[in-house]
Amino acid sequence: MKRVSIFGATGSVGLSTLDLVRRDPEAYGVVALTANSDVGSLAALARETGAQVAVIGQERLYGALKAALAGSGIEAAAGEEALVEAAARGADWTMASIVGCAGLKPTMAALKAGGTVALANKESLVSAGGLMMDAARQSGATLLPVDSEHNAIFQCLAGSSLDDVARIILTASGGPFRTKSRAEMAAMTPAQAVAHPNWSMGAKISVDSATMMNKGLELIEAAYLFPVGLDRIEILVHPQSVIHSMVEYRDRSTLAQLGSPDMRIPIAHALAWPQRIATPCQPLDLARIGRLDFEAPDMERFPALRLARAAAGEGGATPAILNAANEIAVAAFLDGRIGFLDIAMIVEDVLQRYGAPRPGTIDDVLAADAEARAQAGQVMERLTA
Ligand code: NAD
Ligand code: MG
């Protein structure tokens, strides 16, 4: 039996993971499930799966969680420290699917504990990629990418040497505003931005897909996971989201991974790796899909792509600053406080006014993250004054 923990169990990726886990109760035992504030869903999932411990991120909700788990024998815990402790307990397999830099400390704790860490939480890797990769090397943890593109690249690499890779081609759907002009984008509402044409996802990553910052974050993520050099990682817009990414080798042979746009496919790959398990996902019907289209990304209409590539090139604390400013701007957009085009503008402004030395520790990363959030707040105040 594989002992699994799911951080961010109530989210889109967390629920997709649980959907696979509950199909085979003989194969998986649940150690820890966590959520930020949804006590009811967390308690129900913990009871259903017989989890050992349930952790709620918001400390003030401890009493509510304890009450919701009364009589179940399931341990209740709350707060940031409790998330880290639950990760440090170790599991054979941990899904890191908290959204945002909030997932950094628990993900680091899981990596330090060893075992296998399935990583969906791209913001943690973007902010602290060097430190996370070091932690995995030191503990011997296996880091498996769950982001569909990175999971595809991992599959296309199939153990080949990175020295043989000529290019990594990161595909992008282009998001809901792929064909929109800047003038049209300016008027887009949160509801329009989260309506992704192919994938059903949490609100934050859906907005990131609309600005294409998601692909920018994924570029940085790829550079840490597959260090072939930034100039060898290209972005290609592919509206159907059927090819999830490609690897071109130096002999000019190119491998692609294809599948329906369903996160349970890459999650199942990471859950069973190095084996395979059956999933309830739709088989790919290429005759019905008929055609696959490709186009170059438009850096003018999607400035987030340019900002992220520059941040990746600079390295150090710059990706953490980019990510933090983006998290603040996306939250403000979802709240209706700023316009769609303001998101990348705020990120660019923060990157121009604030730099931090190369982080040597997670606390350094979190300090740069906090300062970038404060700076983004100030930029926004000026904008909305
Ligand atoms: P979501 O918003 O649906 O779920 C987020 C989860 O994190 C929830 O369980 C929530 O309770 C928890 N959470 C949020 N803030 C927290 C905090 N401060 N402390 C503790 N827990 C907190 O998000 P999602 O779409 O499932 O995405 C999760 C991660 O996976 C993101 O990093 C995203 O970029 C990545 N990802 C998602 C998809 C997808 O299809 N949804 C695909 C690829 C990568
Ligand atoms: Mg992705």
Side-chain angles (χ1 to χ4, degrees):
M1 179 176 277
K2 205 176 251 187
R3 295 162 54 254
V4 308
S5 286
I6 304 172
F7 286 75
T10 55
S12 169
V13 171
L15 290 173
S16 292
T17 307
L18 280 164
D19 180 74
L20 295 169
V21 165
R22 69 162 64 88
R23 281 166 204 272
D24 197 348
E26 310 277 278
Y28 308 106
V30 175
V31 180
L33 297 182
T34 84
N36 187 36
S37 59
D38 187 350
V39 168
S41 300
L42 177 63
L45 292 169
R47 282 178 182 274
E48 181 217 318
T49 57
Q52 285 172 19
V53 55
V55 188
I56 197 82
Q58 303 282 310
E59 201 136 17
R60 63 183 167 83
L61 295 173
Y62 175 71
L65 180 63
K66 183 122 181 103
L69 291 173
S72 68
I74 299 165
E75 222 179 297
E80 256 184 64
E81 277 312 306
L83 287 169
V84 172
E85 274 164 29
R89 283 178 192 214
D92 299 319
W93 190 89
T94 299
M95 167 55 80
S97 57
I98 289 176
V99 61
C101 204
L104 177 53
K105 278 189 168 176
T107 303
M108 271 302 270
L111 285 171
K112 284 185 180 161
T116 297
V117 176
L119 184 78
N121 177 212
K122 65 188 84 186
E123 296 90 350
S124 64
L125 195 71
V126 165
S127 302
L131 297 170
M132 277 176 58
M133 299 304 284
D134 285 350
R137 263 190 296 273
Q138 275 164 23
S139 70
T142 304
L143 182 61
L144 295 176
V146 167
D147 210 345
S148 57
E149 296 76 5
H150 306 76
N151 183 268
I153 294 162
F154 182 82
Q155 294 197 50
C156 293
L157 283 170
S160 301
S161 165
L162 289 181
D163 294 337
D164 288 333
V165 172
R167 273 191 305 166
I168 287 175
I169 299 152
L170 203 56
T171 53
S173 68
F177 304 157
R178 180 176 60 87
T179 59
K180 298 276 184 272
S181 68
R182 295 276 295 168
E184 286 170 309
M185 283 186 216
M188 290 297 168
T189 64
Q192 288 170 306
V194 299
H196 197 280
N198 307 334
W199 298 92
S200 152
M201 310 183 286
K204 192 265 177 179
I205 184 177
S206 297
V207 174
D208 284 345
S209 298
T211 59
M212 289 194 79
M213 182 60 91
N214 183 49
K215 214 46 57 179
L217 297 176
E218 290 183 354
L219 173 76
I220 301 170
E221 187 184 6
Y224 283 120
L225 290 169
F226 315 111
V228 295
L230 210 50
D231 55 333
R232 291 183 187 226
I233 309 177
E234 287 176 16
I235 293 169
L236 177 68
V237 175
H238 164 44
Q240 291 91 355
S241 297
V242 166
I243 295 180
H244 298 303
S245 277
M246 297 181 255
V247 174
E248 180 191 65
Y249 289 91
R250 59 182 176 160
D251 57 8
R252 302 301 175 198
S253 176
T254 300
L255 267 62
Q257 188 266 348
L258 291 73
S260 304
D262 185 329
M263 281 305 290
R264 291 176 300 181
I265 297 176
I267 293 168
H269 175 265
L271 185 58
W273 187 85
Q275 267 123 40
R276 297 270 180 181
I277 51 174
T279 70
C281 303
Q282 284 302 311
L284 198 55
D285 185 349
L286 285 173
R288 191 184 52 77
I289 292 165
R291 55 183 276 181
L292 299 180
D293 297 297
F294 304 96
E295 60 198 44
D298 185 337
M299 309 286 222
E300 302 295 318
R301 282 185 306 126
F302 297 98
L305 291 172
R306 167 176 57 77
L307 297 174
R309 189 174 280 277
E314 260 187 56
T318 308
I321 294 166
L322 168 104
N323 177 69
N326 182 60
E327 284 193 34
I328 292 292
V330 170
F333 171 70
L334 283 169
D335 264 10
R337 284 182 280 133
I338 60 169
F340 181 76
L341 293 180
D342 295 332
I343 300 171
M345 199 273 288
I346 289 165
V347 173
E348 181 155 28
D349 205 331
V350 172
L351 284 168
Q352 275 167 5
R353 67 180 62 234
Y354 175 57
R358 175 172 294 275
T361 64
I362 289 299
D363 285 337
D364 295 342
V365 173
L366 292 173
D369 173 275
E371 179 57 25
R373 284 169 197 266
Q375 298 262 349
Q378 287 168 21
V379 174
M380 247 156 28
E381 266 171 40
R382 273 197 301 280
L383 198 71
T384 52

